[in-house]
Amino acid sequence: MAITRILIANRGEIALRIHRAAHEMGIETVAVHSTADADAMHVRLADHAVCIGPPSATDSYLNVANIISAAEVSHADAIHPGYGFLSENAKFAEIVEAHDIAWIGPKPEHIRTMGDKVTAKTTAGDLGLPLVPGSPGAVGSVEEAKKIAAEIGYPVLVKAASGGGGRGMKVVPSEDLLEGLMSQAKSEAKSAFGDDTVYLEKYLGNPRHIEFQVFGDGNGNAIHLGERDCSLQRRHQKVLEEAPSPVLSTEERNRMGQVCADAMAQMGYRGAGTIEFLWENGEFFFIEMNTRLQVEHPVTEAITGVDLVREQIRIAEGRPLSVKQEDIRFEGHAIECRINAEDPFTFAPSPGKVSYYHAAGGMHVRVDSGIYAGYSIPPYYDSMIAKLIVYGRTREGCIMRLKRALDEMVVEGVKTNIPLHQALLAEPDILNGDYSIKWLEAWLAERES
Ligand code: MV4
């Protein structure tokens, strides 16, 4: 089932990323765009383009009927969803497959299983992944919650089954507050997701966020491509990611990576996935699985040399993985800075016209971006306008090159968070790799005062 024309159901840098992989494989591309994106670079690069609606994402990039129609009229034989938008919508994946269009993504049943945090966690546990101590499934009553919390010890965390990205979580410091916080969590989850199912976990106070990249062929073969450390976040938005994690040894990477790959092989997972863990005091605890390509995938590409989008397309064609586990070497270090059109310290979005743009370049410097001089960044979508990914033989060398590349990068006409990245790379804790998921918000609060 060779793919000849891919409809890219996304915009911005990731649409370009997918277009590039497709063209390098001799595959044509179809861009879809909202009326606000008629002049976007992803539309210009693609072989064909179809307008799918007005600016609001709900009416365009999330409009299933319009996207399927666009695929039909443009004779696309595959759809790549990118990240965000419809990428983890199991129903959309089913609809795509029902139209005899190849879905460049995981099996719909696996998207669904992992989309619900309770079924994801029980599935992960059954597959041998280490879990955060907590309720075995959803918690039915306050009495049950109290019993479990007493066993695992306070503080505990109440999480929404339909949550994710930190929404619908409550830290419970002691038993007297459990009933109130649990009912708050449930009503917030009900109004946000239409599902008030919650579960309980031991609250980890100062962990790192470490995620493993996995790939399955859908027929019981799977590999891992090591980890990314994504601990540097603000309000669940990643700011900078790196691979490998500064805290993992080769032995720990190989052991945990193999646990992940074995789990994916066992479930017959297809395509790219990311298994997210919290890591504290040398121990891994599964929290979630993302059934999509991630923003930060290029750091993995930099240290392994594997083109992850090419691999996704091959798998959707029913071909085997192009690399075996024993062929994968982790060499050097890579860091990605997410460049956003926003105030570097207040984080207020800064859409508008880019009057001048110069991308960094040179050895081991990659810039994934859809912007150009004269482009107007629309206010309707995510503020990320570029990713700067830098590679070095060592972490120190990578950081020196990253500072140099940030100094070269020029975006005029809008504010960007480049100054934030420069300030971060002057911090001893960052230079030493000594940071947890709490570090960035604490540092920003410190700067405020
Ligand atoms: C946790 C946790 C501490 N303990 N679970 C946040 C979003 C979701 N992916 C899971 N999250 C967390 N789960 C336990 N048992 C702390 C977080 C968390 C977090 C996790 C990863 C990256 C950044 C974070 C920021 C705040 C809280």
Side-chain angles (χ1 to χ4, degrees), residues 132 157 159 166 201-204 209 233 236 278 288 437:
V132 189
L157 194 57
K159 291 185 169 180
E201 280 185 355
K202 172 87 189 154
Y203 175 66
L204 303 177
H209 171 134
Q233 311 206 1
H236 306 289
L278 296 178
E288 289 172 20
I437 61 168

Side-chain angles (χ1 to χ4, degrees), residues 24 27 65 75 85 102 170 198 210 263 341 363:
E24 289 169 17
I27 298 172
H75 301 287
F85 295 130
K170 291 273 178 245
V198 295
I210 299 179
M363 187 165 172

Side-chain angles (χ1 to χ4, degrees), residues 117 121 132-133 155-157 159 163-167 169 171 199-210 230-238 276-278 280 285-288 290 436-438 441:
K117 305 309 163 195
K121 192 173 174 184
V132 189
V156 296
L157 194 57
K159 291 185 169 180
R167 294 179 306 167
M169 297 198 326
V171 182
Y199 62 110
L200 220 63
E201 280 185 355
K202 172 87 189 154
Y203 175 66
L204 303 177
N206 198 29
R208 296 183 75 115
H209 171 134
I210 299 179
C230 307
S231 301
L232 219 57
Q233 311 206 1
R234 175 187 171 269
R235 298 190 185 171
H236 306 289
Q237 291 287 100
K238 295 169 185 166
E276 295 190 348
F277 296 94
L278 296 178
E280 201 170 62
F285 303 95
F286 170 88
I287 45 169
E288 289 172 20
N290 300 320
S436 74
I437 61 168
K438 295 288 183 69
E441 286 180 19

Side-chain angles (χ1 to χ4, degrees), residues 10-338:
N10 215 300
R11 62 183 301 282
E13 68 84 21
I14 197 63
L16 272 65
R17 170 71 190 85
I18 296 159
H19 166 86
R20 287 168 175 152
H23 265 213
E24 289 169 17
M25 298 171 82
I27 298 172
E28 285 192 273
T29 60
V30 180
V32 292
H33 64 91
S34 68
T35 53
D37 276 341
D39 295 326
M41 189 57 86
H42 78 278
V43 176
R44 297 191 182 186
L45 283 189
D47 301 297
H48 310 274
V50 182
C51 183
I52 50 165
S56 164
T58 315
D59 300 323
S60 53
Y61 298 103
L62 291 168
N63 188 325
V64 172
N66 289 8
I67 292 170
I68 296 289
S69 303
E72 295 285 359
V73 299
S74 64
H75 301 287
D77 52 10
I79 293 181
H80 194 308
Y83 52 67
F85 295 130
L86 295 166
S87 61
E88 291 177 286
N89 185 319
K91 188 78 210 162
F92 178 61
E94 284 169 352
I95 292 169
V96 170
E97 292 188 337
H99 283 76
D100 275 321
I101 299 167
W103 167 247
I104 306 176
K107 296 172 186 172
E109 60 182 286
H110 291 154
I111 299 175
R112 189 168 282 120
T113 300
M114 295 303 172
D116 179 285
K117 305 309 163 195
V118 168
T119 54
K121 192 173 174 184
T122 53
T123 304
D126 293 343
L127 292 168
L129 299 174
L131 305 179
V132 189
S135 55
V139 271
S141 64
V142 178
E143 296 72 59
E144 189 190 344
K146 283 189 176 165
K147 191 160 164 284
I148 293 159
E151 283 166 22
I152 62 180
Y154 288 87
V156 296
L157 194 57
V158 182
K159 291 185 169 180
S162 299
R167 294 179 306 167
M169 297 198 326
K170 291 273 178 245
V171 182
V172 183
S174 54
E175 188 179 275
D176 53 314
L177 297 170
L178 182 61
E179 181 160 15
L181 287 167
M182 189 168 144
S183 81
Q184 264 187 48
K186 281 176 96 70
S187 65
E188 282 177 26
K190 185 78 193 171
S191 60
F193 318 115
D195 170 15
D196 72 351
T197 310
V198 295
Y199 62 110
L200 220 63
E201 280 185 355
K202 172 87 189 154
Y203 175 66
L204 303 177
N206 198 29
R208 296 183 75 115
H209 171 134
I210 299 179
E211 57 183 35
F212 277 81
Q213 177 71 55
V214 292
F215 257 98
D217 68 359
N219 298 310
N221 305 296
I223 59 169
H224 76 90
L225 293 150
E227 83 286 3
R228 298 181 285 260
D229 198 315
C230 307
S231 301
L232 219 57
Q233 311 206 1
R234 175 187 171 269
R235 298 190 185 171
H236 306 289
Q237 291 287 100
K238 295 169 185 166
V239 170
L240 173 157
E241 307 93 347
E242 60 181 315
S245 167
V247 297
L248 282 203
S249 68
T250 300
E251 292 67 37
E252 288 171 301
R253 167 172 315 105
N254 291 341
R255 185 190 69 77
M256 201 59 219
Q258 201 52 55
V259 169
C260 291
D262 289 346
M264 293 304 103
Q266 208 180 308
M267 80 187 289
Y269 190 75
R270 181 181 81 200
T274 299
I275 307 182
E276 295 190 348
F277 296 94
L278 296 178
W279 181 96
E280 201 170 62
N281 304 321
E283 262 192 281
F284 283 98
F285 303 95
F286 170 88
I287 45 169
E288 289 172 20
M289 178 169 181
N290 300 320
T291 53
R292 61 163 190 276
L293 183 72
Q294 294 204 239
V295 174
E296 59 271 23
H297 76 276
V299 296
T300 299
E301 297 186 320
I303 67 159
T304 62
V306 178
D307 179 333
L308 301 192
V309 179
R310 183 184 181 91
E311 226 48 52
Q312 287 187 295
I313 296 169
R314 282 176 55 97
I315 289 163
E317 288 180 318
R319 294 154 74 189
L321 290 157
S322 75
V323 279
K324 296 186 175 61
Q325 191 68 54
E326 57 267 30
D327 300 332
I328 294 163
R329 294 274 171 278
F330 304 105
E331 252 175 76
H333 201 92
I335 302 180
E336 170 178 280
C337 291
R338 295 192 187 195

